[in-house]
Amino acid sequence: MVEFAQTLVNGLVLGALYSLVALGLTLIYGVMGLANFAQGEFAMIGGFSAFFLVQEGVSYPLAVVIGFAVAGIIGLLVHLLAFYPLRQSNHINMMLSSLGVSLFLVNLAQYLFSPNPQVVKSPLSGESFNLGGIFISQQRVLIVVISFILCLATFLLLKHTKFGRSVQAASLDPDTATLYGVPTKRISFMTFILGVALTGIAGALLAPVYNVYPTMGISLTLKAFVVVVLGGMGNVSGAIAGGVIVGLIESFAGGYISTGFQDAIVFTVLFVVLILKPQGILTKVQGEKV
Amino acid sequence: MNKWRLKTVGMCGTAILVLSLLNACAPPKGADQASSSKSSGSKEEIKIGFVSQLSGGGALYGKQMENGAKLAVDEINKKGGILGKKIKLIIQDDQANPSESVKVTQRLVTEDRINAWIGTLKSSDTLTDIGITSKQDIPSFVPVAVANSITESDYTNVYRNVANNSMQAKMFVDYILKKQPHKKLAIIAENTDYGRGLSEDFKSFFEKGGGEIVNVEYYNVGQKEFNDQLTKIKGEKPDGIVISGLVAEGALVLKQAQDLGMKTQWYSFGGFSGAAPIKLAGKAADGMIHTEYFTPIKGDKKIETFVNAYKTKFGDKPDAYYSAATYDAVNLYAEGVKKAKTLDNKKVNDALHSISNYQGVMGSISFQEDGQATTKVWMAQIKDGAQTVIFRPE
């Protein structure tokens, strides 16, 4: 029973983390139509900036906030250099460009910071809550709480602000939105920056649990894509639910089937969803827009 | 619009699949390919080809191998070389990628016409590479990769101056059963030939010796999340846990086990040598016992000389076997050439097989017929943030 509960908790925590990374990915996809394969690298950027800041004596919470900003600023540069020039071209080109950005950032980090893993100390490192035999590390609780807050904030931002409504309009139909006076170019800039900065925070939060190293983002990108495809590309609540679902599948597949096939099982679920419900499990089928 | 979306989703699916296949491979860097010593007239040189991972995740170890080789070559050249010829080290980065490794080895053999080959960090790469060097009978040294199969392939030109997986697992099991109270262990293993091979050997020896392995869990290279594996192991309540893998993931295993409130005796293999586990896992690594090929201990003259020379040349202390083993490998080749008094591959191979009780930095080395050296492993324990040797064979 304790083992079941522990597996459940493990899955939920993992899910919260996946949701946060997938949230950024799905926002960007929704507005720009860009399947951003460099998403995980922004977690790496957030992680490394937290590492260097903590090393310089900055307190960890502040380092997380600055990680958000650093990822956002680098996101702005990346958008200007790699995506803005391609805005008129095919979306497949943008996707390829993002793959290039991913490789570039990984190699740049290896060159600048060496490929070795680095340890980030958080005041919560090594501390755990013990709830009747179910253990959960305090850093993970922090990840869940912040992930929840950020997901909720993003959700409210999209629903209840002018910026949010513009984002929704631009994501539904950019041309018509432009005709109605929505500054779609600016909106796409801002969404990209927000999207990667959210992932930057995820990286800074993850750093004390997973260590930071240049290739840390690659597997995050993959998992985030599974989440986003599962929840529906561009669908914010889908990303949040998808994250939790993937976290749980992974945890229970490892706990009750085989840890050796854990990832294989997650990807099998992805294939099944792609075949049966390619628009994502939470997206209702829309009619062809004219 | 909708149709287009579906298409992109499909594309993404394919791309994810491709990426997940690529995930294990470190991206190329392409640096660090310069050769170490000056290249003057090619005829009068002895060329040693060196292949290892010098970019990506394992570069940390590949670099140490490279340093060990450079140090040995420089020392030999300073003394006038072998048979009056200087050694030239030709360094190649294989990115721990089997196809890249074959490519650079092929180039070393056909273009550079090397006299000896040393490599690599990974057993799978080494296995494919020695297939190439053995066609020309080029003396090939394997100082680091420890898969059993490397010296079981009937090649007469392959030498390994470090204990293989089986030897290591056997000696470790003997030590645990004799000197430690733990009879019921669990294994968490890297899902590769290295991790699986080691864990299978350990399991069979341990069970033969009367111990019990309650479960074996696997993880992938580069994995960050181990809670699922650990939760399962925790449920079995073993006396101790063996990590059959390397330190990058192993350190996270230790940390996450601590977060899960697990207090147990940890065991692991050569990957936990040096300062890396202490730096990466901190207090969570305390008490771990692991096998060890080399530790820069004081009081042994050969080791002290090596450590000091290394420190003078590269600035930091060699804290694991990677550099020492590669240093020994270069010197063993030099010893073989000196004995054979020629560079002829066949004669050098004969001479190498006849080496017995060569005193290297890592101890006494004699090659068996299959090229495997009869060496012993040490046992070390991490105590209060430092590596301590707790057992050293005579």
Side-chain angles (χ1 to χ4, degrees), chain A residues 51-215:
Chain A
F51 166 69
F52 285 111
L53 288 165
V54 169
Q55 222 180 23
E56 291 302 314
V58 177
S59 74
Y60 177 73
L62 187 62
V64 172
V65 177
I66 301 178
F68 177 82
V70 171
I73 291 164
I74 296 185
L76 174 68
L77 286 176
V78 165
H79 190 284
L80 280 174
L81 294 172
F83 300 127
Y84 188 70
L86 294 175
R87 64 194 180 282
Q88 302 293 6
S89 83
N90 195 321
H91 288 226
I92 304 289
N93 293 351
M94 291 242 271
M95 190 175 97
L96 288 175
S97 175
S98 80
L99 268 172
V101 169
S102 160
L103 285 175
F104 176 80
L105 290 175
V106 170
N107 285 341
L108 184 70
Q110 283 178 336
Y111 178 75
L112 293 177
F113 314 134
S114 96
N116 306 341
Q118 307 289 353
V119 179
V120 179
K121 285 240 155 56
S122 137
L124 303 178
S125 298
E127 303 291 327
S128 290
F129 293 116
N130 177 359
L131 314 164
I134 303 159
F135 283 82
I136 173 166
S137 86
Q138 297 186 2
Q139 179 70 25
R140 284 174 194 251
V141 174
L142 180 75
I143 294 176
V144 174
V145 171
I146 295 191
S147 170
F148 182 76
I149 293 172
L150 288 176
C151 287
L152 190 71
T154 311
F155 194 77
L156 294 176
L157 181 79
L158 289 180
K159 277 271 174 309
H160 298 291
T161 62
K162 187 159 174 263
F163 169 73
R165 281 190 292 273
S166 313
V167 168
Q168 284 186 329
S171 117
L172 269 176
D173 188 339
D175 298 333
T176 318
T178 316
L179 285 177
Y180 276 91
V182 175
T184 41
K185 254 188 230 161
R186 213 173 70 213
I187 291 294
S188 100
F189 254 100
M190 288 167 74
T191 318
F192 185 82
I193 292 167
L194 177 68
V196 296
L198 282 173
T199 305
I201 275 218
L205 286 171
L206 271 178
V209 185
Y210 289 163
N211 295 343
V212 290
Y213 49 96
T215 48

Side-chain angles (χ1 to χ4, degrees), chain A residues 6 10 37 91 107 115-116 119 128 135 140 209-211 216 218-219 225 251 254-255 259 262 274 286, chain B residues 2 4 9 16 19 23 28 56 60 217-218 224-225 227-229 231-232 234 252 255-256 259-260 279:
Chain A
Q6 180 79 56
N10 293 348
F37 276 90
H91 288 226
N107 285 341
N116 306 341
V119 179
S128 290
F135 283 82
R140 284 174 194 251
V209 185
Y210 289 163
N211 295 343
M216 67 182 274
I218 298 174
S219 57
F225 264 101
S251 183
T259 46
Q262 213 170 10
L274 275 176
Q286 299 165 353
Chain B
N2 203 30
W4 180 84
V9 172
I16 290 171
L19 257 191
N23 194 7
L60 147 82
E217 299 298 329
Y218 296 101
K224 304 188 251 316
E225 183 59 55
N227 271 354
D228 303 325
Q229 285 85 345
T231 302
K232 257 171 116 170
K234 197 182 173 189
L252 291 177
K255 269 168 69 168
Q256 292 179 17
D259 287 345
L260 285 173
K279 187 187 140 223

Side-chain angles (χ1 to χ4, degrees), chain B residues 121-158:
Chain B
L121 191 59
K122 294 264 154 79
S123 293
S124 44
D125 305 345
T126 307
L127 269 170
T128 44
D129 292 348
I130 56 177
I132 299 170
T133 59
S134 66
K135 280 189 191 125
Q136 310 211 12
D137 224 14
I138 298 169
S140 305
F141 293 82
V142 183
V144 170
V146 284
N148 299 345
S149 47
I150 290 172
T151 45
E152 286 169 359
S153 316
D154 286 334
Y155 296 132
T156 51
N157 63 318
V158 177

Side-chain angles (χ1 to χ4, degrees), chain B residues 198-377:
Chain B
L198 213 46
S199 92
E200 277 157 25
D201 279 341
F202 187 92
K203 186 169 189 274
S204 82
F205 291 134
F206 198 70
E207 285 172 347
K208 253 182 238 159
E212 187 194 350
I213 300 290
V214 287
N215 61 341
V216 184
E217 299 298 329
Y218 296 101
Y219 64 84
N220 295 321
V221 176
Q223 190 165 322
K224 304 188 251 316
E225 183 59 55
F226 303 94
N227 271 354
D228 303 325
Q229 285 85 345
L230 290 169
T231 302
K232 257 171 116 170
I233 290 176
K234 197 182 173 189
E236 301 283 343
K237 300 192 174 58
D239 302 334
I241 305 172
V242 183
I243 300 178
S244 179
L246 299 172
V247 70
E249 292 86 12
L252 291 177
V253 169
L254 292 172
K255 269 168 69 168
Q256 292 179 17
Q258 189 188 39
D259 287 345
L260 285 173
M262 293 167 79
K263 286 187 188 76
T264 184
Q265 175 61 51
W266 291 93
Y267 291 107
S268 189
F269 298 95
F272 275 78
S273 339
I278 297 154
K279 187 187 140 223
L280 292 175
K283 275 198 197 111
D286 235 34
M288 165 179 260
I289 295 174
H290 59 88
T291 56
E292 178 80 280
Y293 303 107
F294 167 80
T295 308
I297 49 164
K298 297 219 162 65
D300 183 313
K301 199 159 169 274
K302 191 110 193 166
I303 293 178
E304 276 181 7
T305 321
F306 166 73
V307 170
N308 289 338
Y310 189 97
K311 215 177 157 188
T312 322
K313 194 165 165 65
F314 304 108
D316 48 356
K317 253 171 82 172
D319 58 0
Y321 81 108
Y322 303 96
S323 54
T326 317
Y327 176 87
D328 275 354
V330 173
N331 281 313
L332 279 161
Y333 174 68
E335 184 73 14
V337 173
K338 261 186 240 163
K339 267 188 142 187
K341 298 194 181 63
T342 165
L343 283 177
D344 180 73
N345 287 344
K346 196 178 168 307
K347 284 182 183 148
V348 174
N349 279 323
D350 288 343
L352 282 165
H353 279 288
S354 71
I355 285 183
S356 76
N357 291 324
Y358 170 82
Q359 292 302 318
V361 172
M362 298 213 325
S364 166
I365 288 164
S366 319
F367 288 117
Q368 298 167 354
E369 208 170 321
D370 59 1
Q372 173 63 51
T374 49
T375 56
K376 298 231 161 60
V377 296

